[in-house]
């Protein structure tokens, strides 16, 4: 079974290594040490934990109701406005997502570089939810 370092697990979970380390220290995910003394997370344990983390994301007051199920929470890294259309880029963990939408939608959502947003992918469309 493949094992992952704290840094690798953090990248896969889309969090900082410090967050992954705190979760391990708190016992939320089990670790073991290799011959070099590095902390490792078993692949099966990481897979189960990633599902737990994704199901626990957001609280009741942050609920978003949508039919799109593939959500990528991240940070807006670029907004390019045209006369009618716009392009928004979001970095979600290791994933860079680009959405083409109307300028009006970008303005209504108030999307700006540096703000949190969630890209939702359904089929070939990427939908943006402001957080």
């Amino acid at each position: 079974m493949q094992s992952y370092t704290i840094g690798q697990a953090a990248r896969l979970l889309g969090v900082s290594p410090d967050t992954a380390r705190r979760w391990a220290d708190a016992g939320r995910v089990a670790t073991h040490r290799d011959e070099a003394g590095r902390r490792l997370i078993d692949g099966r344990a990481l897979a189960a934990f990633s599902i737990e983390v994704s199901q626990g994301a957001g609280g009741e007051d942050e609920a978003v109701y949508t039919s799109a199920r593939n959500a990528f929470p991240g940070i807006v890294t670029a907004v390019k406005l045209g006369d009618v259309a716009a392009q928004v880029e979001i970095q979600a963990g290791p994933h860079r997502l680009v959405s083409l939408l109307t300028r009006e939608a970008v303005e209504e959502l108030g999307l700006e570089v540096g703000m949190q947003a969630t890209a939702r992918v359904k089929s070939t469309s990427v939908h943006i939810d402001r957080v």
Side-chain angles (χ1 to χ4, degrees):
M1 172 55 55
Q2 182 169 355
S3 293
Y4 297 90
T5 65
I6 295 287
Q8 291 170 325
R11 279 191 297 282
L12 291 170
L13 295 169
V15 299
S16 73
D18 286 340
T19 297
R21 200 171 291 108
R22 280 192 297 273
W23 286 342
D25 291 343
R28 290 189 61 192
V29 62
T31 63
H32 62 278
R33 295 202 182 262
D34 67 3
E35 308 79 30
R38 295 181 304 167
R39 289 172 61 178
L40 300 175
I41 301 171
D42 174 74
R44 290 188 191 278
L46 182 59
F49 183 67
S50 70
I51 292 169
E52 176 188 321
V53 168
S54 71
Q55 291 174 344
E60 283 294 315
D61 56 340
E62 296 179 28
V64 175
Y65 300 99
T66 181
S67 64
R69 296 292 176 237
N70 300 315
F72 296 87
I75 188 167
V76 176
T77 56
V79 177
K80 298 173 187 164
L81 297 174
D83 291 337
V84 176
Q87 179 178 314
V88 176
E89 294 182 26
I90 293 178
Q91 190 68 39
H95 308 289
R96 176 180 164 262
L97 297 113
V98 179
S99 179
L100 301 175
L101 56 165
T102 65
R103 178 186 181 119
E104 180 181 11
V106 171
E107 290 171 346
E108 283 179 7
L109 290 170
L111 295 175
E112 298 176 354
V113 172
M115 73 183 323
Q116 258 189 308
T118 300
R120 295 192 187 272
V121 180
K122 184 171 183 179
S123 187
T124 58
S125 300
V126 176
H127 305 268
I128 305 294
D129 296 334
R130 181 174 175 192
V131 179

